[in-house]
Short mmCIF file of all heavy atoms in Angstrom, two decimals:
data_model
loop_
_atom_site.label_atom_id
_atom_site.label_comp_id
_atom_site.label_asym_id
_atom_site.label_seq_id
_atom_site.Cartn_x
_atom_site.Cartn_y
_atom_site.Cartn_z
N SER A 30 29.36 65.76 -15.37
CA SER A 30 28.43 66.84 -15.11
C SER A 30 29.17 68.23 -15.01
O SER A 30 28.55 69.22 -15.03
CB SER A 30 27.64 66.67 -13.78
OG SER A 30 28.52 66.63 -12.72
N ARG A 31 30.55 68.14 -14.91
CA ARG A 31 31.34 69.40 -14.81
C ARG A 31 32.19 69.63 -15.99
O ARG A 31 32.86 70.67 -16.09
CB ARG A 31 32.20 69.30 -13.54
CG ARG A 31 31.43 69.29 -12.23
CD ARG A 31 32.38 68.84 -11.09
NE ARG A 31 33.66 69.56 -11.09
CZ ARG A 31 33.91 70.77 -10.47
NH1 ARG A 31 32.94 71.35 -9.82
NH2 ARG A 31 35.04 71.31 -10.55
N VAL A 32 32.21 68.70 -16.98
CA VAL A 32 33.11 68.84 -18.12
C VAL A 32 32.31 68.87 -19.44
O VAL A 32 31.30 68.18 -19.54
CB VAL A 32 34.06 67.62 -18.15
CG1 VAL A 32 34.84 67.60 -19.44
CG2 VAL A 32 35.06 67.69 -16.95
N ASP A 33 32.78 69.68 -20.33
CA ASP A 33 32.18 69.73 -21.71
C ASP A 33 32.64 68.47 -22.48
O ASP A 33 33.80 68.40 -22.81
CB ASP A 33 32.58 70.97 -22.42
CG ASP A 33 32.07 71.04 -23.83
OD1 ASP A 33 31.16 70.21 -24.16
OD2 ASP A 33 32.48 71.91 -24.62
N LEU A 34 31.73 67.50 -22.65
CA LEU A 34 32.11 66.25 -23.29
C LEU A 34 32.33 66.30 -24.76
O LEU A 34 32.72 65.39 -25.45
CB LEU A 34 30.97 65.20 -23.04
CG LEU A 34 30.80 64.81 -21.53
CD1 LEU A 34 29.62 63.86 -21.39
CD2 LEU A 34 32.03 64.21 -20.90
N LYS A 35 32.03 67.53 -25.37
CA LYS A 35 32.19 67.72 -26.80
C LYS A 35 33.46 68.34 -27.18
O LYS A 35 33.77 68.54 -28.36
CB LYS A 35 30.99 68.46 -27.37
CG LYS A 35 29.68 67.77 -27.26
CD LYS A 35 28.54 68.53 -27.91
CE LYS A 35 27.23 67.78 -27.83
NZ LYS A 35 26.08 68.59 -28.44
N GLN A 36 34.27 68.78 -26.21
CA GLN A 36 35.46 69.52 -26.47
C GLN A 36 36.59 68.59 -27.11
O GLN A 36 36.55 67.36 -26.93
CB GLN A 36 36.07 70.09 -25.20
CG GLN A 36 36.46 69.10 -24.14
CD GLN A 36 36.92 69.79 -22.92
OE1 GLN A 36 37.99 70.38 -22.87
NE2 GLN A 36 36.12 69.69 -21.82
N GLU A 37 37.46 69.16 -27.84
CA GLU A 37 38.52 68.43 -28.56
C GLU A 37 39.50 67.82 -27.55
O GLU A 37 39.93 66.67 -27.79
CB GLU A 37 39.25 69.29 -29.55
CG GLU A 37 38.42 69.71 -30.77
CD GLU A 37 38.02 68.50 -31.59
OE1 GLU A 37 38.83 67.61 -31.78
OE2 GLU A 37 36.86 68.39 -32.00
N ARG A 38 39.92 68.56 -26.54
CA ARG A 38 40.87 68.08 -25.63
C ARG A 38 40.20 67.43 -24.38
O ARG A 38 40.43 67.84 -23.27
CB ARG A 38 41.81 69.23 -25.19
CG ARG A 38 42.64 69.78 -26.39
CD ARG A 38 43.41 71.02 -25.96
NE ARG A 38 44.24 70.85 -24.81
CZ ARG A 38 45.44 70.30 -24.76
NH1 ARG A 38 45.92 69.82 -25.87
NH2 ARG A 38 46.10 70.21 -23.62
N LEU A 39 39.40 66.47 -24.63
CA LEU A 39 38.57 65.84 -23.56
C LEU A 39 39.49 65.10 -22.64
O LEU A 39 39.29 65.14 -21.39
CB LEU A 39 37.56 64.99 -24.14
CG LEU A 39 36.54 64.29 -23.19
CD1 LEU A 39 35.85 65.38 -22.37
CD2 LEU A 39 35.53 63.42 -23.95
N LYS A 40 40.48 64.38 -23.04
CA LYS A 40 41.30 63.64 -22.17
C LYS A 40 42.07 64.58 -21.13
O LYS A 40 42.12 64.34 -19.96
CB LYS A 40 42.39 62.81 -22.92
CG LYS A 40 43.21 61.85 -22.06
CD LYS A 40 44.42 61.25 -22.65
CE LYS A 40 45.57 62.20 -22.48
NZ LYS A 40 46.89 61.55 -22.86
N ALA A 41 42.54 65.70 -21.71
CA ALA A 41 43.25 66.69 -20.86
C ALA A 41 42.29 67.22 -19.79
O ALA A 41 42.74 67.43 -18.63
CB ALA A 41 43.78 67.82 -21.72
N ALA A 42 41.04 67.42 -20.13
CA ALA A 42 40.05 67.88 -19.15
C ALA A 42 39.81 66.85 -18.09
O ALA A 42 39.75 67.16 -16.82
CB ALA A 42 38.72 68.20 -19.85
N PHE A 43 39.73 65.56 -18.42
CA PHE A 43 39.59 64.54 -17.45
C PHE A 43 40.85 64.46 -16.52
O PHE A 43 40.67 64.21 -15.35
CB PHE A 43 39.32 63.15 -18.13
CG PHE A 43 37.93 62.97 -18.65
CD1 PHE A 43 37.76 62.42 -19.90
CD2 PHE A 43 36.84 63.31 -17.87
CE1 PHE A 43 36.44 62.25 -20.36
CE2 PHE A 43 35.54 63.18 -18.34
CZ PHE A 43 35.35 62.57 -19.59
N VAL A 44 42.02 64.56 -17.10
CA VAL A 44 43.31 64.45 -16.34
C VAL A 44 43.24 65.60 -15.31
O VAL A 44 43.58 65.39 -14.12
CB VAL A 44 44.52 64.65 -17.26
CG1 VAL A 44 45.77 64.92 -16.43
CG2 VAL A 44 44.67 63.37 -18.09
N LYS A 45 42.85 66.76 -15.73
CA LYS A 45 42.80 67.92 -14.81
C LYS A 45 41.83 67.66 -13.61
O LYS A 45 42.14 68.05 -12.52
CB LYS A 45 42.32 69.20 -15.51
CG LYS A 45 42.28 70.49 -14.73
CD LYS A 45 41.86 71.65 -15.56
CE LYS A 45 41.78 72.91 -14.72
NZ LYS A 45 41.32 74.08 -15.51
N GLU A 46 40.73 66.95 -13.89
CA GLU A 46 39.76 66.69 -12.82
C GLU A 46 40.28 65.61 -11.82
O GLU A 46 40.01 65.64 -10.66
CB GLU A 46 38.43 66.23 -13.41
CG GLU A 46 37.70 67.32 -14.28
CD GLU A 46 37.21 68.47 -13.39
OE1 GLU A 46 36.68 68.15 -12.34
OE2 GLU A 46 37.38 69.61 -13.84
N LEU A 47 41.03 64.61 -12.39
CA LEU A 47 41.44 63.45 -11.59
C LEU A 47 42.70 63.71 -10.85
O LEU A 47 42.91 63.14 -9.71
CB LEU A 47 41.60 62.28 -12.50
CG LEU A 47 40.38 61.66 -13.13
CD1 LEU A 47 40.76 60.61 -14.19
CD2 LEU A 47 39.55 60.96 -12.02
N THR A 48 43.63 64.51 -11.37
CA THR A 48 44.94 64.65 -10.75
C THR A 48 44.95 65.13 -9.25
O THR A 48 45.68 64.52 -8.49
CB THR A 48 45.80 65.66 -11.54
OG1 THR A 48 45.93 65.15 -12.92
CG2 THR A 48 47.15 65.86 -10.98
N PRO A 49 44.13 66.06 -8.88
CA PRO A 49 44.22 66.44 -7.42
C PRO A 49 43.83 65.36 -6.45
O PRO A 49 44.28 65.50 -5.30
CB PRO A 49 43.12 67.59 -7.41
CG PRO A 49 43.00 68.09 -8.80
CD PRO A 49 43.23 66.89 -9.67
N MET A 50 43.21 64.37 -6.85
CA MET A 50 42.79 63.29 -5.92
C MET A 50 43.73 62.01 -5.96
O MET A 50 43.57 61.10 -5.19
CB MET A 50 41.40 62.81 -6.17
CG MET A 50 41.07 62.39 -7.59
SD MET A 50 39.30 62.01 -7.90
CE MET A 50 39.08 60.61 -6.90
N ALA A 51 44.77 62.13 -6.84
CA ALA A 51 45.60 60.97 -7.11
C ALA A 51 46.34 60.46 -5.84
O ALA A 51 46.35 59.29 -5.61
CB ALA A 51 46.65 61.27 -8.21
N LYS A 52 46.92 61.36 -5.13
CA LYS A 52 47.76 60.93 -3.92
C LYS A 52 46.89 60.31 -2.83
O LYS A 52 47.43 59.55 -1.99
CB LYS A 52 48.47 62.09 -3.40
CG LYS A 52 49.64 62.56 -4.34
CD LYS A 52 50.44 63.72 -3.74
CE LYS A 52 51.58 64.15 -4.72
NZ LYS A 52 52.34 65.26 -4.11
N ALA A 53 45.64 60.66 -2.78
CA ALA A 53 44.77 60.18 -1.68
C ALA A 53 44.17 58.78 -1.96
O ALA A 53 43.59 58.19 -1.08
CB ALA A 53 43.68 61.18 -1.41
N CYS A 54 44.28 58.34 -3.21
CA CYS A 54 43.67 57.06 -3.62
C CYS A 54 44.54 55.87 -3.14
O CYS A 54 45.72 55.87 -3.40
CB CYS A 54 43.47 57.02 -5.14
SG CYS A 54 42.14 58.07 -5.68
N ALA A 55 43.93 54.92 -2.55
CA ALA A 55 44.70 53.75 -1.94
C ALA A 55 44.57 52.57 -2.88
O ALA A 55 44.01 51.50 -2.42
CB ALA A 55 44.22 53.44 -0.53
N TRP A 56 45.01 52.70 -4.09
CA TRP A 56 44.82 51.60 -5.05
C TRP A 56 45.74 50.40 -4.69
O TRP A 56 45.34 49.22 -4.85
CB TRP A 56 45.12 52.03 -6.44
CG TRP A 56 44.15 53.01 -7.02
CD1 TRP A 56 44.43 54.27 -7.50
CD2 TRP A 56 42.75 52.81 -7.24
NE1 TRP A 56 43.32 54.92 -7.95
CE2 TRP A 56 42.23 53.98 -7.80
CE3 TRP A 56 41.84 51.78 -6.94
CZ2 TRP A 56 40.90 54.22 -8.18
CZ3 TRP A 56 40.52 51.95 -7.28
CH2 TRP A 56 40.08 53.13 -7.82
N THR A 57 46.95 50.68 -4.23
CA THR A 57 47.95 49.58 -4.02
C THR A 57 48.43 49.46 -2.58
O THR A 57 49.16 48.48 -2.32
CB THR A 57 49.15 49.82 -4.97
OG1 THR A 57 49.77 51.12 -4.64
CG2 THR A 57 48.72 49.85 -6.47
N SER A 58 48.12 50.40 -1.76
CA SER A 58 48.54 50.36 -0.33
C SER A 58 47.73 51.33 0.48
O SER A 58 47.07 52.24 -0.12
CB SER A 58 50.05 50.65 -0.22
OG SER A 58 50.30 51.97 -0.66
N GLY A 59 47.81 51.18 1.81
CA GLY A 59 47.18 52.17 2.69
C GLY A 59 45.66 51.93 2.88
O GLY A 59 45.13 50.89 2.53
N ARG A 60 45.03 52.96 3.41
CA ARG A 60 43.59 52.94 3.69
C ARG A 60 42.88 54.00 2.90
O ARG A 60 43.40 55.06 2.65
CB ARG A 60 43.30 53.07 5.21
CG ARG A 60 43.91 52.05 6.04
CD ARG A 60 43.68 52.38 7.50
NE ARG A 60 42.36 52.15 7.92
CZ ARG A 60 41.87 51.01 8.37
NH1 ARG A 60 42.57 49.93 8.39
NH2 ARG A 60 40.58 50.96 8.71
N TRP A 61 41.63 53.72 2.51
CA TRP A 61 40.83 54.63 1.81
C TRP A 61 40.19 55.66 2.78
O TRP A 61 39.75 55.28 3.85
CB TRP A 61 39.68 53.96 1.08
CG TRP A 61 40.13 53.34 -0.21
CD1 TRP A 61 40.53 52.03 -0.44
CD2 TRP A 61 40.31 54.01 -1.50
NE1 TRP A 61 40.87 51.80 -1.69
CE2 TRP A 61 40.77 52.99 -2.42
CE3 TRP A 61 40.08 55.28 -1.96
CZ2 TRP A 61 41.01 53.30 -3.73
CZ3 TRP A 61 40.27 55.55 -3.26
CH2 TRP A 61 40.79 54.60 -4.16
N PRO A 62 40.30 57.00 2.46
CA PRO A 62 39.70 57.96 3.28
C PRO A 62 38.20 57.82 3.23
O PRO A 62 37.63 57.27 2.27
CB PRO A 62 40.15 59.30 2.70
CG PRO A 62 40.51 58.94 1.29
CD PRO A 62 41.03 57.57 1.28
N TYR A 63 37.51 58.37 4.18
CA TYR A 63 36.02 58.36 4.27
C TYR A 63 35.37 57.07 4.69
O TYR A 63 34.48 56.98 5.37
CB TYR A 63 35.39 58.87 3.01
CG TYR A 63 35.80 60.33 2.65
CD1 TYR A 63 36.77 60.57 1.70
CD2 TYR A 63 35.22 61.43 3.28
CE1 TYR A 63 37.15 61.89 1.37
CE2 TYR A 63 35.62 62.77 3.02
CZ TYR A 63 36.59 62.92 2.04
OH TYR A 63 36.97 64.20 1.74
N ILE A 64 35.94 56.03 4.13
CA ILE A 64 35.37 54.70 4.48
C ILE A 64 36.26 53.79 5.33
O ILE A 64 35.88 52.80 5.92
CB ILE A 64 35.07 53.84 3.18
CG1 ILE A 64 36.33 53.60 2.34
CG2 ILE A 64 34.00 54.58 2.32
CD1 ILE A 64 36.07 52.73 1.17
N GLN A 65 37.56 54.28 5.50
CA GLN A 65 38.55 53.60 6.39
C GLN A 65 38.60 52.06 6.11
O GLN A 65 38.66 51.25 7.02
CB GLN A 65 38.13 53.85 7.82
CG GLN A 65 38.17 55.25 8.31
CD GLN A 65 39.50 55.97 7.98
OE1 GLN A 65 40.59 55.43 8.26
NE2 GLN A 65 39.49 57.12 7.38
N MET A 66 38.70 51.73 4.81
CA MET A 66 38.96 50.36 4.43
C MET A 66 40.39 50.21 3.91
O MET A 66 40.84 51.03 3.11
CB MET A 66 37.96 49.91 3.36
CG MET A 66 36.53 49.73 3.84
SD MET A 66 35.41 49.20 2.54
CE MET A 66 35.96 47.54 2.29
N GLN A 67 41.01 49.08 4.32
CA GLN A 67 42.36 48.78 3.78
C GLN A 67 42.24 48.55 2.30
O GLN A 67 41.26 48.06 1.76
CB GLN A 67 42.92 47.58 4.49
CG GLN A 67 44.39 47.33 4.36
CD GLN A 67 45.23 48.39 5.18
OE1 GLN A 67 44.65 49.03 6.06
NE2 GLN A 67 46.48 48.56 4.82
N TRP A 68 43.26 48.97 1.47
CA TRP A 68 43.20 48.87 0.06
C TRP A 68 42.78 47.45 -0.41
O TRP A 68 41.97 47.34 -1.37
CB TRP A 68 44.55 49.23 -0.56
CG TRP A 68 45.61 48.20 -0.47
CD1 TRP A 68 46.50 48.00 0.60
CD2 TRP A 68 45.92 47.23 -1.41
NE1 TRP A 68 47.23 46.96 0.33
CE2 TRP A 68 46.97 46.49 -0.90
CE3 TRP A 68 45.46 46.85 -2.64
CZ2 TRP A 68 47.56 45.39 -1.60
CZ3 TRP A 68 45.99 45.84 -3.36
CH2 TRP A 68 47.10 45.12 -2.84
N ASN A 69 43.37 46.38 0.16
CA ASN A 69 43.09 45.06 -0.29
C ASN A 69 41.82 44.43 0.36
O ASN A 69 41.57 43.25 0.12
CB ASN A 69 44.34 44.12 -0.10
CG ASN A 69 44.82 44.14 1.39
OD1 ASN A 69 44.19 44.78 2.22
ND2 ASN A 69 45.76 43.40 1.65
N ALA A 70 41.07 45.23 1.12
CA ALA A 70 39.84 44.75 1.69
C ALA A 70 38.70 44.95 0.68
O ALA A 70 37.58 44.45 0.83
CB ALA A 70 39.50 45.43 2.95
N ILE A 71 38.95 45.75 -0.36
CA ILE A 71 37.99 45.91 -1.46
C ILE A 71 37.79 44.63 -2.22
O ILE A 71 38.81 44.12 -2.72
CB ILE A 71 38.38 47.06 -2.37
CG1 ILE A 71 38.58 48.37 -1.61
CG2 ILE A 71 37.39 47.28 -3.51
CD1 ILE A 71 37.36 48.91 -0.98
N GLU A 72 36.55 44.15 -2.30
CA GLU A 72 36.26 42.89 -2.98
C GLU A 72 35.24 43.11 -4.04
O GLU A 72 34.61 44.19 -4.15
CB GLU A 72 35.84 41.84 -1.94
CG GLU A 72 36.83 41.53 -0.94
CD GLU A 72 36.28 40.56 0.12
OE1 GLU A 72 35.05 40.45 0.18
OE2 GLU A 72 37.12 39.95 0.89
N GLN A 73 34.92 42.09 -4.84
CA GLN A 73 33.98 42.15 -5.92
C GLN A 73 32.55 41.84 -5.35
O GLN A 73 32.01 40.80 -5.60
CB GLN A 73 34.26 41.22 -7.01
CG GLN A 73 33.32 41.08 -8.14
CD GLN A 73 32.87 42.42 -8.76
OE1 GLN A 73 33.48 43.45 -8.52
NE2 GLN A 73 31.76 42.42 -9.46
N THR A 74 32.12 42.67 -4.45
CA THR A 74 30.79 42.55 -3.81
C THR A 74 30.04 43.89 -3.99
O THR A 74 30.73 44.92 -4.18
CB THR A 74 30.91 42.18 -2.36
OG1 THR A 74 31.51 43.33 -1.63
CG2 THR A 74 31.66 40.89 -2.10
N HIS A 75 28.74 43.83 -3.94
CA HIS A 75 27.97 45.08 -4.07
C HIS A 75 28.43 46.09 -2.98
O HIS A 75 28.52 47.25 -3.27
CB HIS A 75 26.51 44.73 -3.94
CG HIS A 75 25.62 45.91 -4.03
ND1 HIS A 75 25.36 46.61 -5.22
CD2 HIS A 75 24.95 46.67 -3.04
CE1 HIS A 75 24.55 47.68 -4.95
NE2 HIS A 75 24.25 47.67 -3.68
N ARG A 76 28.57 45.56 -1.73
CA ARG A 76 28.88 46.47 -0.70
C ARG A 76 30.28 47.16 -0.89
O ARG A 76 30.47 48.40 -0.70
CB ARG A 76 28.98 45.71 0.68
CG ARG A 76 29.30 46.56 1.92
CD ARG A 76 29.43 45.72 3.17
NE ARG A 76 29.81 46.60 4.27
CZ ARG A 76 31.09 46.86 4.57
NH1 ARG A 76 32.05 46.36 3.78
NH2 ARG A 76 31.40 47.66 5.57
N SER A 77 31.28 46.35 -1.27
CA SER A 77 32.60 46.96 -1.47
C SER A 77 32.60 47.92 -2.63
O SER A 77 33.23 49.06 -2.53
CB SER A 77 33.59 45.82 -1.87
OG SER A 77 34.11 45.18 -0.68
#
């Protein structure tokens, strides 16, 4: 909703949007902000 999906450099636009949040994401360790869930507590359930 914030990116022009027809632009030629679309990947670069997505990288620009995602990069500022990279350090806060708990994909492999730590806890997720806002929901306070341990990274490995995320499961394949609707709630998770």
